[in-house]
Amino acid sequence: MDLHSIKTPSLLLDVGRVRRNAERMSARVRRLGASLRPHVKTHKCIEVARLQTGGPSGAVTVSTLAEARAFAAHGLKDITYAVPIEPGKFREALELARLCDRLALITDDLEVPPLLDEAARRAGLTLELFLKVDCGYHRCGVEPERPEALEIPRRIDAARNLRFAGILTHAGHSYHARSRAELLGIAAHERDLMAGFAARLRADGIEVPTVSVGSTPTVTQVEHLEGVDEVRPGNYIFFDAFQATLGCCSFDDCALTVLASVVHRDRLRRRIVIDAGAVALSKDRGPVEFDPGCGYGRVLDLEGADLGLRVGSLSQEHGEVLVEDERLLDGLRVGTRLRLLANHSCLTAAQHEHYHVLEGGRVVDRWEIHRGW
């Protein structure tokens, strides 16, 4: 198969860029003195995880229990499930723990530790449980100044069938930084807040085995990781138009594109319609704060050269692209194949069942995407 015969829309993965991104991040985290536990929600793919971890049994972070089951079944059995656990998922998590060498869960709720401890006792298991900390994102987590920030670790520490795994955070607000200086400030705050909070817990007599942080923007920019044990970036393995616009990578580092075909050309309105809509690309507007005209992705030719066009609007299976240049419009006949660099690779990958793997511009393999909850 080649780029002219693959059915459109399809997901294309430049494996050379994936390897390069993996190697660079691994080397960077080593230099910073921490361990890398990549977040596999970006790709949900066994082969990509093995490139990130350097082998079949590396440590990973997941965002769904379905991801955890898939990765454990393929030998990646050191897993952190980085969404707060709730009682409706206790049974599945306990079943999964039997398949893993290590399964760590997270919570930010005072009532969860005793309930999870009892469930683990009945199952005859011991579980590791992190405290989720809010370092400024305000999505989930406990702010370190709150009374429960000490009480939850105490409850975990006192439980017979739980082990306190440490403290974990995610600086998701780094995606909204408007300058490199602001991004550096968020990265430093994430690190310093967590290191300081760990010291406070230890002074209170609570052992903190792991201080875990992570987002691609902060890890690519942070100047040091003193006081941090582990980082969990995910998007870096593919990058995307958002990360490149934010300055975390170059556009040449972006490994994921969607192959699409022109299905309609409208000379009167100077536009084309492609067969990649919201179902193929997702409706993530991406870096609209920095690039108001970013649309839903950049339009590239088959060789990956940027045509200077954006996907301006989407319906379920259609994408519309305004083409002001008449000579360019002449060349975009119905049937012309294009590649689309998505704003958010994580959401785009989640729309598809597999990757067509490219090496040297040729399709060399097909890798499955393990979706579901």
Side-chain angles (χ1 to χ4, degrees):
M1 298 178 72
D2 60 30
L3 298 186
H4 295 281
S5 59
I6 295 172
K7 183 179 179 180
T8 57
S10 287
L11 206 54
L12 305 179
L13 188 62
D14 186 322
V15 71
R17 294 185 181 190
V18 170
R19 289 194 189 103
R20 187 176 68 198
N21 293 340
E23 290 164 3
R24 286 177 176 173
M25 182 58 74
S26 294
R28 174 170 175 75
V29 172
R30 265 196 313 273
R31 286 196 305 271
L32 292 170
S35 61
L36 177 64
R37 181 181 290 275
H39 206 316
V40 299
K41 72 171 184 176
T42 295
H43 53 80
K44 306 175 189 287
C45 177
I46 306 303
E47 291 84 353
V48 177
R50 287 176 177 158
L51 291 175
Q52 289 179 289
T53 61
S57 58
V60 297
T61 308
V62 302
S63 60
T64 74
L65 294 175
E67 290 169 13
R69 286 194 302 274
F71 283 87
H74 287 84
L76 292 112
K77 296 187 176 185
D78 182 353
I79 297 172
T80 296
Y81 171 48
V83 174
I85 190 68
E86 52 88 19
K89 297 184 180 70
F90 284 0
R91 181 176 176 180
E92 187 176 358
L94 288 162
E95 291 172 353
L96 181 61
R98 297 186 189 278
L99 305 176
C100 293
D101 297 331
R102 171 192 171 275
L103 174 68
L105 307 175
I106 74 171
T107 191
D108 57 8
D109 190 273
L110 279 166
E111 296 178 1
V112 164
L115 295 173
L116 184 60
D117 183 41
E118 175 59 20
R121 184 195 65 78
R122 290 197 305 267
L125 293 171
T126 300
L127 294 174
E128 294 196 25
L129 187 60
F130 277 98
L131 172 66
K132 175 68 182 288
V133 178
D134 180 4
C135 68
Y137 189 21
H138 307 319
R139 181 177 66 182
C140 294
V142 176
E143 295 178 33
E145 299 78 17
R146 301 285 300 171
E148 56 266 35
L150 290 177
E151 182 59 26
I152 293 171
R154 288 187 187 123
R155 291 189 179 191
I156 299 171
D157 209 36
R160 296 184 64 178
N161 288 77
L162 301 179
R163 283 196 298 264
F164 184 49
I167 55 176
L168 176 150
T169 196
H170 171 62
H173 52 306
S174 62
Y175 284 80
H176 302 288
R178 293 181 175 270
S179 66
R180 185 169 184 272
E182 185 179 352
L183 182 52
L184 280 168
I186 293 171
H189 178 72
E190 177 189 39
R191 175 198 64 222
D192 295 344
L193 179 142
M194 292 294 280
F197 181 41
R200 183 174 161 217
L201 287 170
R202 288 165 181 147
D204 197 54
I206 299 171
E207 183 182 353
V208 183
T210 302
V211 176
S212 180
V213 306
S215 75
T216 289
T218 55
V219 175
T220 56
Q221 301 296 318
V222 71
E223 294 175 331
H224 71 83
L225 284 173
E226 185 176 341
V228 170
D229 302 295
E230 172 186 274
V231 295
R232 310 177 327 279
N235 182 275
Y236 76 91
I237 196 63
F238 292 167
F239 286 122
D240 49 33
F242 192 111
Q243 297 287 350
T245 304
L246 194 59
C248 298
C249 67
S250 74
F251 283 100
D252 287 338
D253 295 322
C254 298
L256 189 77
T257 52
V258 174
L259 182 69
S261 297
V262 177
V263 296
H264 174 71
R265 179 170 58 176
D266 184 340
R267 289 188 176 278
L268 178 64
R269 296 173 180 82
R270 293 182 179 268
R271 64 171 186 146
I272 58 171
V273 177
I274 55 177
D275 61 356
V279 173
L281 286 172
S282 91
K283 277 200 168 183
D284 197 314
R285 285 297 307 277
V288 66
E289 295 157 297
F290 322 102
D291 179 10
C294 66
Y296 295 97
R298 292 176 173 243
V299 182
L300 319 177
D301 66 17
L302 275 191
E303 286 69 47
D306 195 332
L307 296 177
L309 306 174
R310 303 292 181 268
V311 181
S313 64
L314 295 174
S315 50
Q316 183 165 323
E317 306 293 351
H318 300 76
E320 295 189 14
V321 180
L322 184 65
V323 187
E324 296 280 10
D325 186 319
E326 192 164 337
R327 289 182 63 187
L328 182 55
L329 185 60
D330 284 344
L332 296 175
R333 299 178 179 88
V334 169
T336 301
R337 295 199 156 204
L338 300 167
R339 291 167 66 176
L340 311 172
L341 175 59
N343 289 325
H344 187 180
S345 59
C346 309
L347 278 177
T348 298
Q351 309 299 309
H352 297 259
E353 295 180 348
H354 58 267
Y355 304 99
H356 290 285
V357 181
L358 299 182
E359 191 158 23
R362 296 184 305 110
V363 179
V364 297
D365 210 342
R366 175 169 155 161
W367 292 349
E368 183 181 356
I369 297 171
H370 298 273
R371 302 185 296 174
W373 290 272

mmCIF file of all heavy atoms in Angstrom, residues 34 74 90-92 97 107 110 199 231 237 276 290 315 373:
data_model
loop_
_atom_site.group_PDB
_atom_site.id
_atom_site.type_symbol
_atom_site.label_atom_id
_atom_site.label_comp_id
_atom_site.label_asym_id
_atom_site.label_seq_id
_atom_site.Cartn_x
_atom_site.Cartn_y
_atom_site.Cartn_z
ATOM 1 N N ALA A 34 15.340 12.489 36.602
ATOM 2 C CA ALA A 34 14.069 11.862 36.964
ATOM 3 C C ALA A 34 13.859 10.615 36.110
ATOM 4 O O ALA A 34 14.620 10.336 35.184
ATOM 5 C CB ALA A 34 12.913 12.846 36.755
ATOM 6 N N HIS A 74 -0.055 -7.064 26.980
ATOM 7 C CA HIS A 74 1.105 -7.104 26.086
ATOM 8 C C HIS A 74 2.419 -6.922 26.849
ATOM 9 O O HIS A 74 3.447 -6.583 26.260
ATOM 10 C CB HIS A 74 0.969 -6.040 25.001
ATOM 11 C CG HIS A 74 -0.055 -6.388 23.964
ATOM 12 N ND1 HIS A 74 -1.395 -6.138 24.134
ATOM 13 C CD2 HIS A 74 0.063 -6.972 22.744
ATOM 14 C CE1 HIS A 74 -2.057 -6.546 23.061
ATOM 15 N NE2 HIS A 74 -1.199 -7.051 22.209
ATOM 16 N N PHE A 90 -13.920 0.126 41.258
ATOM 17 C CA PHE A 90 -13.074 -0.647 42.186
ATOM 18 C C PHE A 90 -12.891 -2.083 41.699
ATOM 19 O O PHE A 90 -11.774 -2.612 41.665
ATOM 20 C CB PHE A 90 -13.689 -0.673 43.584
ATOM 21 C CG PHE A 90 -13.532 0.589 44.380
ATOM 22 C CD1 PHE A 90 -12.879 1.697 43.864
ATOM 23 C CD2 PHE A 90 -14.044 0.665 45.673
ATOM 24 C CE1 PHE A 90 -12.742 2.862 44.615
ATOM 25 C CE2 PHE A 90 -13.910 1.810 46.432
ATOM 26 C CZ PHE A 90 -13.258 2.920 45.897
ATOM 27 N N ARG A 91 -13.975 -2.739 41.352
ATOM 28 C CA ARG A 91 -13.905 -4.160 41.001
ATOM 29 C C ARG A 91 -12.994 -4.379 39.789
ATOM 30 O O ARG A 91 -12.143 -5.280 39.805
ATOM 31 C CB ARG A 91 -15.306 -4.699 40.712
ATOM 32 C CG ARG A 91 -15.320 -6.179 40.353
ATOM 33 C CD ARG A 91 -16.740 -6.682 40.162
ATOM 34 N NE ARG A 91 -16.764 -8.068 39.737
ATOM 35 C CZ ARG A 91 -17.867 -8.758 39.497
ATOM 36 N NH1 ARG A 91 -19.060 -8.187 39.677
ATOM 37 N NH2 ARG A 91 -17.811 -10.011 39.097
ATOM 38 N N GLU A 92 -13.171 -3.546 38.770
ATOM 39 C CA GLU A 92 -12.353 -3.704 37.575
ATOM 40 C C GLU A 92 -10.891 -3.409 37.877
ATOM 41 O O GLU A 92 -9.983 -4.087 37.371
ATOM 42 C CB GLU A 92 -12.859 -2.769 36.473
ATOM 43 C CG GLU A 92 -12.172 -2.991 35.142
ATOM 44 C CD GLU A 92 -12.748 -2.133 34.030
ATOM 45 O OE1 GLU A 92 -13.712 -1.375 34.284
ATOM 46 O OE2 GLU A 92 -12.221 -2.227 32.902
ATOM 47 N N ALA A 97 -5.385 -5.313 38.823
ATOM 48 C CA ALA A 97 -4.199 -5.387 39.688
ATOM 49 C C ALA A 97 -3.612 -6.789 39.712
ATOM 50 O O ALA A 97 -2.392 -6.959 39.859
ATOM 51 C CB ALA A 97 -4.558 -4.927 41.096
ATOM 52 N N THR A 107 -6.306 9.455 43.956
ATOM 53 C CA THR A 107 -7.532 10.011 44.537
ATOM 54 C C THR A 107 -7.260 11.410 45.049
ATOM 55 O O THR A 107 -6.114 11.777 45.340
ATOM 56 C CB THR A 107 -8.061 9.140 45.677
ATOM 57 O OG1 THR A 107 -9.380 9.588 46.038
ATOM 58 C CG2 THR A 107 -7.170 9.203 46.911
ATOM 59 N N LEU A 110 -11.570 12.414 50.376
ATOM 60 C CA LEU A 110 -11.406 11.864 51.728
ATOM 61 C C LEU A 110 -12.108 10.531 51.920
ATOM 62 O O LEU A 110 -11.673 9.692 52.711
ATOM 63 C CB LEU A 110 -11.954 12.864 52.752
ATOM 64 C CG LEU A 110 -11.047 14.025 53.151
ATOM 65 C CD1 LEU A 110 -11.857 15.089 53.885
ATOM 66 C CD2 LEU A 110 -9.896 13.538 54.023
ATOM 67 N N ALA A 199 8.071 17.699 51.121
ATOM 68 C CA ALA A 199 8.852 17.968 52.337
ATOM 69 C C ALA A 199 7.932 18.169 53.538
ATOM 70 O O ALA A 199 8.238 17.707 54.662
ATOM 71 C CB ALA A 199 9.728 19.204 52.117
ATOM 72 N N VAL A 231 8.339 11.893 35.773
ATOM 73 C CA VAL A 231 7.549 12.772 34.908
ATOM 74 C C VAL A 231 6.694 11.920 33.971
ATOM 75 O O VAL A 231 7.088 10.822 33.579
ATOM 76 C CB VAL A 231 8.440 13.741 34.106
ATOM 77 C CG1 VAL A 231 9.161 14.696 35.034
ATOM 78 C CG2 VAL A 231 9.435 12.993 33.236
ATOM 79 N N ILE A 237 5.369 12.464 22.146
ATOM 80 C CA ILE A 237 5.737 11.377 21.243
ATOM 81 C C ILE A 237 5.277 11.656 19.810
ATOM 82 O O ILE A 237 5.915 11.228 18.840
ATOM 83 C CB ILE A 237 5.200 10.015 21.755
ATOM 84 C CG1 ILE A 237 5.891 8.854 21.048
ATOM 85 C CG2 ILE A 237 3.689 9.933 21.653
ATOM 86 C CD1 ILE A 237 7.361 8.748 21.287
ATOM 87 N N ALA A 276 -12.434 14.414 5.435
ATOM 88 C CA ALA A 276 -12.039 14.288 6.846
ATOM 89 C C ALA A 276 -12.770 15.362 7.633
ATOM 90 O O ALA A 276 -12.448 16.555 7.512
ATOM 91 C CB ALA A 276 -10.529 14.426 7.006
ATOM 92 N N PHE A 290 -3.349 31.835 20.451
ATOM 93 C CA PHE A 290 -2.133 32.377 19.856
ATOM 94 C C PHE A 290 -2.269 32.560 18.351
ATOM 95 O O PHE A 290 -1.584 33.380 17.755
ATOM 96 C CB PHE A 290 -0.949 31.434 20.116
ATOM 97 C CG PHE A 290 -0.976 30.809 21.471
ATOM 98 C CD1 PHE A 290 -1.402 29.503 21.645
ATOM 99 C CD2 PHE A 290 -0.593 31.531 22.587
ATOM 100 C CE1 PHE A 290 -1.438 28.934 22.908
ATOM 101 C CE2 PHE A 290 -0.625 30.967 23.838
ATOM 102 C CZ PHE A 290 -1.059 29.670 24.015
ATOM 103 N N SER A 315 -17.980 19.406 9.571
ATOM 104 C CA SER A 315 -19.186 18.686 9.966
ATOM 105 C C SER A 315 -18.733 17.251 10.214
ATOM 106 O O SER A 315 -17.534 16.983 10.283
ATOM 107 C CB SER A 315 -20.271 18.786 8.891
ATOM 108 O OG SER A 315 -19.755 18.447 7.611
ATOM 109 N N TRP A 373 -13.100 2.414 27.361
ATOM 110 C CA TRP A 373 -13.040 2.791 28.761
ATOM 111 C C TRP A 373 -13.046 1.561 29.663
ATOM 112 O O TRP A 373 -12.781 1.628 30.823
ATOM 113 C CB TRP A 373 -14.232 3.683 29.134
ATOM 114 C CG TRP A 373 -14.104 5.032 28.501
ATOM 115 C CD1 TRP A 373 -13.472 6.119 29.001
ATOM 116 C CD2 TRP A 373 -14.596 5.420 27.216
ATOM 117 N NE1 TRP A 373 -13.536 7.170 28.116
ATOM 118 C CE2 TRP A 373 -14.217 6.766 27.000
ATOM 119 C CE3 TRP A 373 -15.307 4.773 26.219
ATOM 120 C CZ2 TRP A 373 -14.553 7.477 25.854
ATOM 121 C CZ3 TRP A 373 -15.629 5.468 25.066
ATOM 122 C CH2 TRP A 373 -15.245 6.818 24.899
#
